[in-house]
Amino acid sequence: MCFATCRSAEILTCCCFLLAGVCFRMYTEKEAAQAGVVGWVKNTRGGTVVGQLQGPADAVEHMKEWLSKKGSPSSHITRTLFNNERTLSALEMSSFSTRY
């Protein structure tokens, strides 16, 4: 899974490789809403998930932990990668969505 996350000032990309990720996007969208972050998530043709998250630093850290260790109830996360982190002066998105 690749994710870009932004803490009300920061963006990062995370890649997570899932062996089984039933409903991973749906659960990610739900967790992001509860954490107070915006962004997007989508599946790749290679069987991974990519996305971007933006929000307060603590919310972004929560999502990094969730994406790395928890995920959806049926998922098995084998690896996550976070990169391209940067500080933003304002959020670049206004909501969280699933992309296709």
Side-chain angles (χ1 to χ4, degrees):
M1 162 187 326
C2 287
F3 263 89
T5 67
C6 167
R7 318 168 182 196
S8 268
E10 163 167 345
I11 219 166
L12 89 92
T13 301
C14 143
C15 281
C16 195
F17 299 93
L18 310 172
L19 296 179
V22 179
C23 299
F24 195 88
R25 293 174 302 163
M26 179 185 74
Y27 280 94
T28 301
E29 191 168 342
K30 180 180 176 184
E31 189 70 22
Q34 290 175 349
V37 299
V38 298
W40 56 270
V41 64
K42 78 175 194 175
N43 289 342
T44 68
R45 290 183 184 194
T48 64
V49 178
V50 298
Q52 185 174 60
L53 302 165
Q54 299 181 355
D58 60 335
V60 169
E61 289 304 316
H62 167 79
M63 287 303 297
K64 286 170 64 176
E65 180 76 15
W66 187 88
L67 290 164
S68 297
K69 299 193 178 350
K70 188 168 183 179
S72 67
S74 299
S75 67
H76 178 78
I77 302 164
T78 58
R79 188 174 96 187
T80 55
L81 302 172
F82 296 93
N83 57 46
N84 298 330
E85 205 163 341
R86 66 184 169 96
T87 299
L88 301 175
S89 58
L91 296 175
E92 299 172 332
M93 295 172 240
S94 59
S95 64
F96 196 92
S97 64
T98 297
R99 293 185 179 177
Y100 298 94

